[in-house]
Amino acid sequence: MTQPTTMPHSPGGHPGLPGSSEVHLWCTNLDDSPGDIGVLSHMLSPQEQARARRFVFEKHRCRFIVAKAWSRSVLGPYLSREPCDVPLTVDARGKPHIIAEANHVDLRFSLTHCGRFAMLGVTVNQNIGVDVQYPIPDELWTAVTERLLTPDELAYIHDLAPTERAFALAEIWTRKEAVAKALGTGLTSQVFSYAVGPSAWGTVHCGRGLRVWSLPGHYRLARAVAVREDLWTPTVRTAMLQSVPTQQYGSRTLPKNL
Amino acid sequence: MAMNDAPKKTPPAVRQPPATIPGRFAQVVSRFPNRVAVSTPNTQLTYSELDDYSGVLACEVINRVGVVSSPAQAMAGEPVALLMEHAAPLIAAIIGVLKAGKIYLALDPTDLAARIAAMLGHARARLLLTDKANASLAHSLAAGRLQVMEIDDQFATHAKSTIPVEVSPEVGAWLMYTSGSTGAPKGVWQNHCNVVHHTDVYSDMIKLTPDDRLSLLTSCSLAASATHLFASLLNGATLCPFNMRSQGVERLADWLGRQRVSVCHSVPTVFRRLMRSVGDNRHLESLRLIRLGGEPVLRSDVEAYRRHCSVNCILMHALSSTETGLISALMINRQAALPDGRVSVGRTVRDVEVLLVDERGQPVSPGSDGRIAVRSAHLAQGYWLHPDETAKAFHKDAHDPQTRLFVTGDLGRFLPDGCLEHLGRVDQQVKIRGRRVDLSEVETALQATDLFEETVASAQECPSGEHRLVAHVVPRTGTDEASQACRHLLKRSLPDYMIPVEFVPMVRLPKTTGGKVDRLALPPPPRRSESLARHRPMPRDRFEKVLASIWESALGVSQIGRCDDFFDLGGTSLASIEVLAQIESTLNVALSPSIIAEHSTIEKLAALIADHAVMPSPNPSVVLRAAARGRPLFLVHDGPGNVALYGQLSRRLPDRPVYALQAVGLRGESWPLMSIPAMAGRYIREVMAVDPTGPYMLAGRCVGGLIAFEMAQQLLRRGRPVGLVVLIDSNYPVPSGRRLRWTERAVMGPLHDISRILRWGIASAIGMRRNVHWLPAYRRFVARMIARARRAYKPAFYPGTITLVLADNAHFPGEDLRLMMTRYARQTRTINIPGNFGELLIPPAVDELARRLQASLDAAQSEDPP
C-alpha cells in the first residue's frame, strides 16, 4: 500500500485551491493565539457566536472561538473572501460546511481539535474527515474497547506493551472518527465495525470507498485523515500556522502570512 | 590531574591544523596508529583499524549515492542515515560517512518507529546504513524508498582504500533531531569546522590527553554525544560506548571500573542511580572528571560525588544545547564549598558570549532573570531544510557577518561572582493560580526532602482549563506517608501555591533516549472533579442521579444539573463513548454510540433509558421478561458476554417469557468457559431447568447465534425438540477484518491465547479475582475467551431449520460470511431487516426485528403439537 506522499507546503504564500488529488492540512495551537478573543469572536457567524456562548467553561469557549476564527482565516483565501465573509452553516448533525450557492469550487473541509491542538483538512469535490487525539489512558477503554474495536484491533492492542497502548488506541480512535467524519454519518456501530487499525497498518481501505491513514511526526498526538479511495494517491500538503493572525479583522484586512 | 607523562599535544606549527573531521582524524591515525580508538567489552579497535574500516565504508557510501549532493542540499551536503546498535560499528560508520563528505544522521533504534520514519522522510536521506540487529526494522522503514546498506562487524578483513573526496570545512557533519515537544521534531545541523572548534574548546577545558578514556553513554542521535565522540577520536584518546538501554544503569559502575574510564559524561538522573549503585565504601577510582548537564545538579549530587569519587576527580557542570554547543561550565573539586540549592553552570566558555534577554528580545537589567541568548560564530548552521525557521531563530549580527545570536529556551541569571545560574526551561514555567511557577524549582525542593528516589513536577490541565501542580515521585518508603510528610516539609521551603496538589507514586519514571525524565510519557493523575457553582436544576430520581455520576466521572465536573448539555460542558465524542460504556456496565443498557449526540442532557437521556435498564444477576440465566404463558425465548450473549443489548428487544416481545444467557465468569465468580460446545452444554442445563420439555426457542446475536446453533445440536442429541434457532448477524467463525497470515492462524493465535490464560491463571492464583476493582478485567478476559472459542469453533451439520436475521446495511469485503452458515443446516430461512450491521437491537431497527421475530415464534409455536 503506498502511503500518500507528503509535501511540506512552502510558507509565504497561500497554496491556492487543492488539486483533484490533493489534500491540504493545516495545524495550529489554539492557546497560542495572541489575538484578543473579543475581536476574534466578531469573525464568527451569529450562529457560531451563540454556540460559543453556551459553553460553561471559559477555556472551552476560547478554544472554540479561536478554532472557528482560525479555520475562517484559512478558508477565506481559498474562496477569495474575507475570513468573516466565509459563508458557513451547519447541517442537522452539527457538521459545518460552506453554503452551496457561494461555493462554486466545491471546497470541502473538516475541522477537529483536541485540547489545544487543531487541524483543518481541505479538499475540492470530495469528502474529507480528519481527527486528532492525545493518548487515551487504558483504564478509560477497558469497557469501551470490547465493543468498538474489531477482533484484530483488539488483539493488536492487547499485544502491545502497556506504555504503547495509549497512543495506539488514540491512533485507532482518530482513524475511526476520521472515517465517520468523511462519511458524515456520525459515530455509529457500523463505523466502529470497520477495521481501520493503528498507524502500523499503514493506509487502510476501510469500506464505503474510503481510505484512511495516519500522519507521522507528532510525538504525542495521533492524527488521521480519511478521503475517497478510488482516484489516486493523494498529495498531502501540510502547513503549520503558528496561530491566528493578529491583524484587526474589524478593518477587513487579509492576514498576510497566509 | 593525570597529566604526568602522557605525550603532550603538539602546539600548532606555522600551518593551521585541518578544520575538518577527516583531516584531523587522519593526523591522529598517522600519529597513534596502534592506540585503541574504540573499546567495548568484545571489541578493541585501533586507530588504523578504524581508519581502514571507515575508509571502506566511505567508498561504499560514495558508490551508492555518488559524490555530488542533490541541488537542494548542495551547500550543506547530503545526510546518510544510520540505524545501528550503540557499539563500535556505529562509530566506524559515523567516521565513514564523514569521510565520504556526507552528513551523518544517527537514529536510535529504540525510538518510536513512527518518529524515526518522520525523521527519515524529513531529512530526505537516500541511504540508510544498518547492522544485522536492526536490518529488518531498517527495511520496513525504508519501504523501497531509500537504499539500505547492511554493515558487518568484520573489521580486520578490509584493505586500505582511497576516498575520492576532499571534504570542505563548510560541509555539514551531523544532523540531529531535537525532541520537539509541541510540534514535529526539528533537525539541527552543524558543519565540520564548528564541530572541530567545539571539540578543541572542550579538549582544552578538560586537558584531554591521548591516555584518557571517554565514556559514550548518550545515544548518537543526540547532540550531547558528539562532544565525547569527537573529543576522543580527534585527540587519540579511547572512546568507550556503553549501551544503557540493553545493559542497564546497574552495570554502569562495574563497566566504568573495568573499562578504566577516566572522563564520564552523563545526565544527573543517571549519575544519581550510578552513585546509589556504587555502595557506601567504594570509590570510582579510574574517574578523573565527571561531566553533568541537561538537568539541575543539586547539593545532594555534590555530596554523592564527594563520597564516591577519588580525590583527584573533578566535577564539571555544563550548560549546552543542540543549537549552540557548550555554553558555560563550572568545574569544582572535592574541596569546593557545598552550594545551598542549585549548582551554578559556571562561566561561559571560550568564544561564546551570553546575554540575558526578556520576552521581546531586549537585554534585561543587570542581576535580573532572563532568557539565555548566545552570541557566537560557532552556532549550529540551522534547521535542516527550514531556512525560514532558521532565519527566525538565528539572528544575524549587523556588525559581524560571522557571528549570530540564538535565544535558547533556558532561563538564567548571573550571580554576583559572575557565574551563570540556570533557572530551568522556559517551557517549564507554568501559571498556577495566576502565579508563575518554575517546575524545576519545585523539583529541587522535592529532591531536597530526601523522601524520594526520583521526582518530576508537571502542571496538568483540568477540564476548566486551570492548571494544577502534580508531582510524579518514586518514593523511598511507603507512598502515603511519603507524600504526607513531603507536603509538611515543603511548606517550610515553598509558598502554598507551589506545593503539588497531587502526588502520583511510580515504580520508576519514564526516560527519554538521553536518560532524562520523559515528561510527555508521564501518566495522568487521577481525575479530580471541577465544581459547577451556579444554580441549576439538579437530578431528581434514581436514574438521573446515576447518570449524573457517570457524566461527572467522564467529564471531570461535579454537580451537573439535569438540563446541562453534555457538549457545553466540554464533552467530546470520546467522552461520550466513555459514558456509554459506563451506562452499559452499571445499568445494563446497550445504546447506540450516537445516542449522546441526540440526547445531550441528563433529563433526555434518563427518559430514554429508564424503561430499559436491567439489573445484573450472578447466574447465566437472566429473566428479561416474566410472563405466565407462552413458550419462553432464550437469548444468548454476544461477544462481550453480557446480555444488556437484548433489553430493548425483550420489551417488544410481550406474549412470552424472555430469558437471556450471560457468559459465565463476568464477575470473576468462576473461570470462563473456553469453547462454544462447553458454553452450549452449560446453557442447556439452565434452559432445561426453566423449561423441562421444549420445544426450545433459541436466538443470539453474532457469536451468540453460533452458541444457540450449538445448543440446538446438543438438545437434539439428547432427544429434545427444538422449535426455532435464530442467528442474528452471525458470521461464520472466521475472524473478520484483516486476513490473518498463516503463521498467526497456526501458531500466534493459540500462543497468545495460552499466554493470556497463563497470565490470568497466575493473577487469579495470587488472589486478584477477589478484588472488586478487577471487574473490567474479568469482562475483558471473558470477552477474549469468547473470541477464542469462536475462532476455534467447527460447526457440525444441523439436520433442521435455522433462521438467519441479516442487517441490510452490512459491508463485507468478500463473501458475506453470514451466509456461510447455510451450508451447515438442512434448511435455512432468511429475514432481512433494514438497518446497519451491529445496530439491529437498538431503535429504530429493533422494532422491525421484534415484529419479524414475533411472527417466527408464533409460527414455530403453532407447528408444535399442543
Side-chain angles (χ1 to χ4, degrees), chain A residues 51 147 152 177 189-190 220, chain B residues 520 568 573 584 591 839:
Chain A
R51 173 74 192 91
R147 254 181 60 188
D152 286 341
E177 182 119 75
S189 302
Q190 176 82 30
R220 276 272 286 174
Chain B
L520 296 172
D568 291 351
S573 50
E584 187 176 315
L591 299 165
E839 289 184 350

Side-chain angles (χ1 to χ4, degrees), chain B residues 295-311:
Chain B
E295 291 173 329
V297 173
L298 309 171
R299 181 190 170 102
S300 57
D301 299 329
V302 180
E303 285 170 346
Y305 146 75
R306 284 189 181 183
R307 261 200 309 281
H308 296 303
C309 294
S310 67
V311 189

Side-chain angles (χ1 to χ4, degrees), chain B residues 606-664:
Chain B
L608 185 78
I609 64 170
D611 285 347
H612 305 296
V614 179
M615 293 322 289
S617 147
N619 292 325
S621 72
V622 181
V623 182
L624 290 183
R625 174 171 206 89
R629 301 177 324 107
R631 290 247 78 84
L633 169 67
F634 295 92
L635 295 165
V636 187
H637 64 80
D638 72 345
N642 63 23
V643 296
L645 74 167
Y646 295 125
Q648 309 217 27
L649 176 65
S650 65
R651 310 266 148 184
R652 289 167 172 78
L653 298 171
D655 294 342
R656 64 189 68 244
V658 180
Y659 292 85
L661 296 157
Q662 65 181 0
V664 173

Side-chain angles (χ1 to χ4, degrees), chain B residues 203-318:
Chain B
S203 317
D204 290 353
M205 252 176 106
I206 67 168
K207 314 267 190 306
L208 194 72
T209 74
D211 283 339
D212 273 315
R213 297 171 68 88
L214 278 65
S215 72
L216 184 65
L217 308 182
T218 319
S219 156
C220 287
S221 63
L222 301 171
S225 66
T227 324
H228 268 197
L229 194 132
F230 296 115
S232 58
L233 296 184
L234 301 188
N235 284 298
T238 303
L239 183 68
C240 307
F242 179 77
N243 191 337
M244 203 118 66
R245 283 286 165 103
S246 63
Q247 300 289 309
V249 184
E250 300 74 35
R251 296 195 202 159
L252 184 55
D254 197 36
W255 174 83
L256 286 171
R258 205 168 296 168
Q259 286 282 335
R260 292 172 288 109
V261 170
S262 61
V263 180
C264 179
H265 175 190
S266 88
V267 290
T269 313
V270 171
F271 172 76
R272 272 168 220 146
R273 291 176 64 188
L274 167 67
M275 288 294 132
R276 237 175 280 131
S277 70
V278 169
D280 274 343
N281 301 318
R282 279 182 54 213
H283 279 79
L284 293 167
E285 294 296 346
S286 65
L287 282 183
R288 71 166 185 84
L289 187 134
I290 293 184
R291 175 183 166 188
L292 299 178
E295 291 173 329
V297 173
L298 309 171
R299 181 190 170 102
S300 57
D301 299 329
V302 180
E303 285 170 346
Y305 146 75
R306 284 189 181 183
R307 261 200 309 281
H308 296 303
C309 294
S310 67
V311 189
N312 298 322
C313 183
I314 285 179
L315 180 71
M316 174 180 184
H317 181 207

Side-chain angles (χ1 to χ4, degrees), chain B residues 418-471:
Chain B
C419 285
L420 182 65
E421 188 179 17
H422 182 215
L423 300 171
R425 304 267 318 158
V426 173
D427 51 21
Q428 282 188 36
Q429 310 281 313
V430 292
K431 269 203 171 161
I432 303 284
R433 290 188 249 154
R435 282 180 247 211
R436 191 160 283 285
V437 172
D438 176 17
L439 295 174
S440 63
E441 199 176 337
V442 178
E443 282 162 16
T444 310
L446 284 168
Q447 280 289 346
T449 62
D450 213 31
L451 290 163
F452 309 108
E453 301 262 334
E454 289 178 286
T455 63
V456 55
S458 59
Q460 306 273 346
E461 200 176 315
C462 309
S464 62
E466 286 280 298
H467 284 86
R468 62 200 171 105
L469 208 52
V470 177

